[in-house]
Amino acid sequence: MGTTHEVCIQLTRHASNRAQQRGIKNSTIGLVLAYADVELHAGEGFISLFMSRTNIKKLIRKGIPAALLEKSHGVVLLINSAGTSIVSVMHGGGKDGKRHRRQYPTRKYVQ
């Protein structure tokens, strides 16, 4: 797991609609994409990316504005297995978000 990911990932129409419906700005998506430190298998060949609290605290100490980082806490990006597009964007709380923030026990994650 690296601390930075490619930023040239395409946002699908579905992800764009979901981000708008859920009030997640493109700048927040870019921040999560750039600094996500947790990468999990989410089923169906998808990968979920999000930022841990520990990583957010480290980034605040490095000088990234705390207000931006707090907005990105709990935002989960669902990415296709090829890593070419963001399929969906959601908040980590609630039934659907929590499902994408944990590793499925039936599949071993290979880094």
Side-chain angles (χ1 to χ4, degrees), residues 5-11 33 49 79-80 83-87:
H5 297 276
E6 285 292 322
V7 184
C8 59
I9 294 179
Q10 185 179 19
L11 197 66
L33 191 59
L49 291 177
I79 298 178
N80 66 354
T84 57
S85 61
I86 299 173
V87 179

Side-chain angles (χ1 to χ4, degrees), residues 7-89:
V7 184
C8 59
I9 294 179
Q10 185 179 19
L11 197 66
T12 63
R13 182 180 300 151
H14 176 79
S16 180
N17 289 342
R18 291 294 178 244
Q20 184 179 15
Q21 289 171 350
R22 295 169 178 156
I24 301 171
K25 295 183 179 182
N26 285 338
S27 58
T28 304
I29 293 171
L31 192 66
V32 172
L33 191 59
Y35 294 106
D37 63 329
V38 181
E39 184 176 312
L40 300 174
H41 171 75
E44 298 289 323
F46 294 107
I47 297 168
S48 62
L49 291 177
F50 57 95
M51 294 170 47
S52 67
R53 258 195 208 280
T54 306
N55 190 37
I56 289 174
K57 289 176 184 177
K58 287 178 187 176
L59 293 171
I60 290 172
R61 286 192 297 266
K62 286 185 178 181
I64 296 176
L68 288 175
L69 291 169
E70 285 302 319
K71 287 180 183 178
S72 64
H73 175 67
V75 173
V76 178
L77 305 180
L78 197 61
I79 298 178
N80 66 354
S81 60
T84 57
S85 61
I86 299 173
V87 179
S88 191
V89 180

